[in-house]
Every structure is written in C-alpha cells, then in structure tokens.
Amino acid sequence: MQDTGIMLLAVILAITSLQIDNSRERSSSQPLPERGFWVTEISPEREVTIVRYYATSIDLVSEKTEKGKLNIKKRSTRRYLNKKLSEELAKDSLSQSIPKLYEIN
C-alpha cells in the first residue's frame, strides 16, 4: 500500500515537472512587446483588421487599419505588431514625458 502512495507521488511530480517545462518553452517562443500592448479586431464585412496600440498606462496611442485578416497565432505577425507598437510608442510624446512608476520617489 505504501509503495502505491510513493508511485502516485512520483507520477504527480513527473506530470507537474512536464507542465512547468512546457510553459517555459511556450513563453520563450512567444514574442512579447517591451512596453505597451496591442489589440486586434477583425472586421469581416470589410476584410480588414483594426489594430489598436496602447501604452503601458492603458492609454490609446493610435489605431491603424491593416489590409486583410491578421493571424495573431503566427509568430511573424506578433513580431510585426510588436515592431509597429514600438514605432507608435516612439511617436507618442506623452509616453516619453510621463515618468515610469519605479522612477517616482
């Protein structure tokens, strides 16, 4: 009976370690923006994707319309949107003047 408990514990630990390893692989393969975030909205009647770029402070920086339907499951699409986000944030003069939370004394 005690052997069964030890075997069950070993199986649970093995499954847990596999889940932890998989989450690490996924997060490293997901390109994430350094600052801010973007949100996409597909408009089926116009065959376009509306992309809204936000600063970290949840302020809307800009809204752009991309031709076609963007598939955000693709890594290249996420990289493209992250690059556009950094360009939009660089244009935003307000985000550069606001001090970061950790810079406030």
Side-chain angles (χ1 to χ4, degrees):
M1 188 69 177
Q2 189 176 13
D3 291 336
T4 308
I6 292 172
M7 289 293 288
L8 181 62
L9 181 62
V11 169
I12 290 172
L13 288 174
I15 291 172
T16 305
S17 67
L18 287 174
Q19 289 176 346
I20 291 171
D21 289 341
N22 286 340
S23 66
R24 285 185 196 146
E25 289 175 16
R26 265 189 300 221
S27 64
S28 65
S29 68
Q30 300 272 344
L32 298 172
E34 293 178 18
R35 301 181 315 157
F37 61 96
W38 43 262
V39 177
T40 60
E41 177 184 333
I42 297 175
S43 177
E45 62 272 356
R46 293 186 357 195
E47 295 292 323
V48 296
T49 302
I50 300 168
V51 184
R52 292 182 183 91
Y53 298 100
Y54 292 89
T56 305
S57 59
I58 310 176
D59 293 325
L60 180 65
V61 175
S62 69
E63 183 175 310
K64 302 287 182 183
T65 303
E66 299 283 338
K67 293 180 182 176
K69 295 180 181 179
L70 295 179
N71 184 359
I72 61 171
K73 292 181 181 179
K74 290 185 178 180
R75 187 180 201 175
S76 59
T77 303
R78 292 190 306 268
R79 283 186 178 160
Y80 168 77
L81 291 173
N82 290 343
K83 181 181 174 190
K84 295 296 249 179
L85 173 64
S86 64
E87 291 171 2
E88 293 298 322
L89 288 174
K91 291 180 196 176
D92 185 30
S93 61
L94 200 93
S95 69
Q96 295 174 359
S97 63
I98 298 174
K100 295 180 177 71
L101 188 57
Y102 57 83
E103 293 177 344
I104 299 174
N105 291 329

